[in-house]
Amino acid sequence: MGDSVGRVITGTGEGRHMGEIRESYLVAAESAVALLREPAVAAAWSKPSALNEFSVAGLAAHLAHQLVRIDSLLDDGGVPGEPVPLIEHFSRSPWVQAGLDHESNVGIRQAGEAAAADGPAALAAKAEKLFERQRAELPAQPRDKVVHLPWSGWSLRFDDFLLTRLVELVVHSDDLAASVGVETPKLPASVIDPVVELLARLAVHRHGATAVIRTLSRAERAPATISAF
């Protein structure tokens, strides 16, 4: 696992083929759009979600926002800097280990609630429109594309950023499904495997290899958590 996971995380170009990550993202994005159209989501729109201090509406909008992030970088004309490795990207991001009341997480929730203001049908329609554009344009993005993330202040390889959105789509699709009482979307190994690999590597980075190994193999010595975030 170590070698393959390391190559995926560092984005050196030696890991998963560029096309694989792009196709995996599109599969997860299409699934997320279908979930947003679930009648159960609209029915529970104003109710609390499975995430603390997030309504179903806000969580749904946060899920859809992952497509917004990608769309904003398709025509990116900015001049990116040297891309940082994915582990460093997560280490620098304040929301990763911040509490619910940290300004970064408060801002994420507020943005979700604001984006949901027009209701479930409008949100799903916007997400579907973005997906259709991305399905047409994503494969043609340059192989070596690097993008500047203005909300973070640093740059990533475009395909590394796609992998971060893939994680968000898979994790928050599960959150939303659990919130409204529907089955978590079934996704293929091409989607799940890179998500599990990235989360495992982040868990090792945060908690150490011993904690992760014990949790996976020795329940009697497992720590309280090995959460990646």
Side-chain angles (χ1 to χ4, degrees):
M1 181 181 74
D3 287 344
S4 64
V5 174
R7 287 193 294 269
V8 170
I9 298 305
T10 57
T12 61
E14 300 177 270
R16 295 182 185 276
H17 188 274
M18 170 192 70
E20 292 179 4
I21 289 298
R22 296 183 182 193
E23 181 60 31
S24 296
Y25 166 80
L26 289 172
V27 170
E30 185 173 25
S31 173
V33 171
L35 179 59
L36 291 171
R37 290 204 174 279
E38 279 281 346
V41 172
W45 196 246
S46 61
K47 296 179 180 179
S49 77
L51 297 185
N52 289 336
E53 300 188 25
F54 240 140
S55 70
V56 167
L59 176 57
H62 185 60
L63 175 62
H65 190 63
Q66 308 317 313
L67 283 81
V68 175
R69 287 290 202 209
I70 294 299
D71 202 73
S72 71
L73 299 175
L74 288 180
D75 302 320
D76 180 41
V79 180
E82 184 69 20
V84 304
L86 269 179
I87 286 289
E88 184 176 344
H89 165 73
F90 283 101
S91 297
R92 289 185 181 189
S93 299
W95 64 267
V96 173
Q97 297 186 42
L100 285 173
D101 295 332
H102 188 275
E103 62 180 357
S104 61
N105 285 323
V106 172
I108 287 171
R109 294 195 300 273
Q110 290 175 339
E113 299 296 339
D118 291 335
L123 181 70
K126 178 182 179 181
E128 185 168 11
K129 183 177 180 180
L130 292 175
F131 170 72
E132 293 299 337
R133 180 189 183 211
Q134 290 166 23
R135 180 161 61 181
E137 297 187 16
L138 198 57
Q141 294 294 303
R143 181 183 183 89
D144 58 351
K145 181 170 181 172
V146 175
V147 292
H148 178 69
L149 310 181
W151 53 88
S152 298
W154 55 84
S155 299
L156 276 181
R157 293 175 178 85
F158 181 62
D159 283 33
D160 282 353
F161 185 66
L162 276 175
L163 180 53
T164 72
R165 296 313 93 188
L166 185 64
V167 171
E168 292 281 335
L169 287 169
V170 171
V171 170
H172 290 308
S173 288
D174 177 50
D175 291 332
L176 184 58
S179 299
V180 302
V182 300
E183 187 176 1
T184 297
K186 301 291 187 185
L187 294 164
S190 61
V191 172
I192 297 301
D193 287 356
V195 170
V196 171
E197 289 171 358
L198 177 51
L199 291 174
R201 188 61 181 263
L202 289 170
V204 168
H205 179 74
R206 183 175 181 183
H207 301 283
T210 299
V212 174
I213 291 169
R214 283 178 175 173
T215 299
L216 296 176
S217 64
R218 294 289 181 261
E220 65 273 18
R221 295 203 304 276
T225 181
I226 57 166
S227 173
F229 305 129

